[in-house]
Structures are given as structure tokens and as C-alpha cells.
């Protein structure tokens, strides 16, 4: 199967998923202003605080290098959020990127609090390099859960990431409960390894031991091509 994906195929893929979300009562919009995103997420009851990766006071989230997606119900209330960013790891790899804390802070030396650290024990993280997209800050309101929406909204994020960046890899860091309950599988990631980020940010109250889940560019292209209905 030819893995080449055109913009037309990717657009069809995104459109099909957007229509499925609309049929479930979820209306998406996207943006690149992370000051606005910080205001939106700060007002969401029941959502954990957005990690430094997507906070403009911590990370450099330049236009064209990061974007967010917000899903609203038919009354205009926020029911879903997620965000993506891309990093050029050509001179390094994901394991070193995480452990240096550069995945979380533009300048870890000046921004990371005392005692901050990250350990990556996922073996494949050392082979994840070049142009790498991070997918995170995922939240879905309780009344929209159990409807199969994770694959839909993650798929839209994948499609937009492909159109904008065509990354060599796209990854997420997910908690153990997400893996055990099958939520991470619903996103569409094909690979997973434990202890992708054992993260301690004491000044922010963050103590996590997350799994690394990921897709390669070829796998992402195949997903878009098949779902976009272009198989001949």
C-alpha cells in the first residue's frame, strides 16, 4: 500500500471525524493563542491544571509550532480540550528531551523549580527523533464519555498535525489508568511502553509516572489514508 497522503485525503479524513463529533453534539474550534487557551482551561471545573508543556509562561509556543483544539456542546460550554506542539529533535532524541526538562520548559534552568526532574525508561524513546509532535492536555467532560469520542477527537488532532507538520513521530504521555482502562488504545496509538516520563515538578504539585504511547509517520499516514476512504 502506497503511504503517500495528499492534502485532499487528509482534509476528507478530518471532515469525516468532525462530522461524527458534530453528530455527538461536540463542535470543535482550534487556535494558536495559548494565552487564550490558558484562560479557557483555567475555568474548567474537574480538569487538572494544564502542565507546563502548554503554558505560555513556561514554554515557547510559537504560532505554527503549536495549536489547541476546544470542543463545545451545543450551548457553547466547553466539553473537551487538547493541545499539540512540535519539536525538532534532530540533534537529540525524545528520552534526552524529556530528561532535560526542555519538553516542559523553554529554559529549565530559570523556570523549573527546585527538585524538578524527569526520568525516561521507555527504550524506544531513544530512537524517537527528528520532527516529533507531542499530543497532550486531553480532557473530555463526563457526560460525553463512553460514546467512542476519544478516537474521533484524537483523529482530528492527528490529521491537523499531519497537515501542519507531517511529523516523523507523534506521541503522548498517559497515566497507567488510561492504559489499563483501554482509553489510550481508543486514541489510536499503536505502541506503548511503561515509564515514559517519571516526572517530578514539586513546585507545581506534579508527581507522575506516565506511559509513552506513539505512532510513526508511516503509521499515521496509513491511518489517514484508510479512514479518509482513499484505498483503491
Amino acid at each position: 500500500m502506497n503511504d503517500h497522503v495528499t492534502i485532499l485525503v487528509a482534509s476528507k479524513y478530518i471532515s469525516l471525524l468532525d462530522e461524527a463529533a458534530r453528530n455527538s453534539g461536540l463542535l470543535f474550534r482550534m487556535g494558536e493563542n495559548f494565552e487564550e487557551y490558558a484562560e479557557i482551561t483555567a475555568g474548567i471545573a474537574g480538569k487538572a491544571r494544564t502542565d507546563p508543556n502548554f503554558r505560555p509562561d513556561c514554554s515557547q509556543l510559537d504560532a505554527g509550532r503549536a495549536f489547541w483544539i476546544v470542543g463545545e456542546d451545543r450551548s457553547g460550554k466547553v466539553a473537551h480540550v487538547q493541545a499539540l506542539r512540535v519539536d525538532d529533535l534532530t540533534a537529540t532524541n525524545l528520552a534526552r528531551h524529556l530528561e532535560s526538562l526542555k519538553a516542559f520548559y523553554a529554559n529549565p534552568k530559570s523556570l523549573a523549580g527546585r527538585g524538578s526532574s524527569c526520568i525516561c525508561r521507555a527504550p524506544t524513546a531513544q530512537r524517537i527523533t527528528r520532527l516529533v509532535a507531542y499530543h497532550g492536555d486531553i480532557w473530555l467532560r463526563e457526560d460525553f464519555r463512553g460514546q467512542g469520542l476519544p478516537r474521533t477527537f484524537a483523529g482530528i488532532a492527528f490529521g491537523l498535525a499531519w497537515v501542519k507538520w507531517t511529523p516523523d513521530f507523534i506521541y503522548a504521555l498517559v497515566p497507567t489508568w488510561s492504559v489499563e482502562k483501554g482509553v489510550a488504545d481508543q486514541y489510536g496509538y499503536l505502541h506503548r511502553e511503561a515509564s515514559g516520563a517519571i516526572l517530578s515538578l514539586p513546585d507545581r504539585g506534579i508527581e507522575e509516572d506516565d506511559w509513552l504511547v506513539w505512532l510513526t509517520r508511516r503509521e499515521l499516514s496509513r491511518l489517514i489514508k484508510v479512514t479518509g476512504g482513499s484505498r483503491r
Side-chain angles (χ1 to χ4, degrees):
M1 177 180 173
N2 185 343
D3 297 324
H4 178 67
V5 175
T6 65
I7 295 294
L8 182 60
V9 169
S11 298
K12 183 178 179 182
Y13 168 79
I14 294 168
S15 179
L16 287 170
L17 293 175
D18 183 59
E19 182 179 359
R22 286 176 177 270
N23 290 338
S24 297
L26 196 60
L27 310 177
F28 290 122
R29 61 186 177 95
M30 63 173 292
E32 296 186 339
N33 183 336
F34 276 83
E35 296 285 352
E36 179 184 357
Y37 184 71
E39 291 181 8
I40 292 170
T41 57
I44 298 175
K47 179 191 175 297
R49 187 182 184 191
T50 297
D51 284 348
N53 317 61
F54 294 114
R55 293 186 60 84
D57 57 335
C58 299
S59 292
Q60 189 171 345
L61 300 163
D62 298 331
R65 307 291 292 182
F67 67 92
W68 48 261
I69 299 171
V70 169
E72 298 172 339
D73 63 21
R74 291 190 175 96
S75 67
K77 294 182 179 179
V78 175
H80 164 69
V81 297
Q82 60 181 324
L84 294 95
R85 57 182 278 180
V86 69
D87 294 291
D88 185 354
L89 304 185
T90 302
T92 183
N93 60 51
L94 180 58
R96 291 201 295 266
H97 184 60
L98 291 167
E99 293 186 339
S100 71
L101 296 179
K102 291 181 179 178
F104 310 97
Y105 297 101
N107 187 341
K109 289 185 178 179
S110 62
L111 295 172
R114 183 184 297 273
S116 296
S117 67
C118 182
I119 299 171
C120 176
R121 292 179 177 158
T124 303
Q126 297 183 28
R127 299 194 297 274
I128 294 178
T129 185
R130 299 187 296 277
L131 200 62
V132 179
Y134 171 62
H135 176 211
D137 206 41
I138 302 167
W139 174 82
L140 182 65
R141 205 171 69 199
E142 189 172 1
D143 54 317
F144 278 90
R145 297 172 191 172
Q147 301 178 42
L149 283 169
R151 188 171 297 275
T152 300
F153 65 66
I156 289 175
F158 293 164
L160 291 171
W162 190 93
V163 169
K164 285 176 168 290
W165 307 316
T166 319
D168 293 287
F169 296 90
I170 185 166
Y171 78 99
L173 298 169
V174 300
T176 297
W177 68 260
S178 180
V179 172
E180 291 177 343
K181 292 187 176 182
V183 176
D185 291 336
Q186 292 179 46
Y187 295 151
Y189 288 102
L190 297 179
H191 311 283
R192 66 189 188 193
E193 289 177 355
S195 298
I198 304 172
L199 180 63
S200 178
L201 303 178
D203 61 323
R204 296 181 176 273
I206 294 174
E207 298 290 338
E208 300 174 353
D209 185 350
D210 289 334
W211 287 64
L212 169 66
V213 295
W214 75 93
L215 288 169
T216 67
R217 177 165 57 185
R218 174 172 289 185
E219 290 162 347
L220 178 57
S221 296
R222 287 176 176 173
L223 174 66
I224 291 171
K225 193 163 188 178
V226 171
T227 308
S230 62
R231 178 182 282 180
R232 294 180 180 179

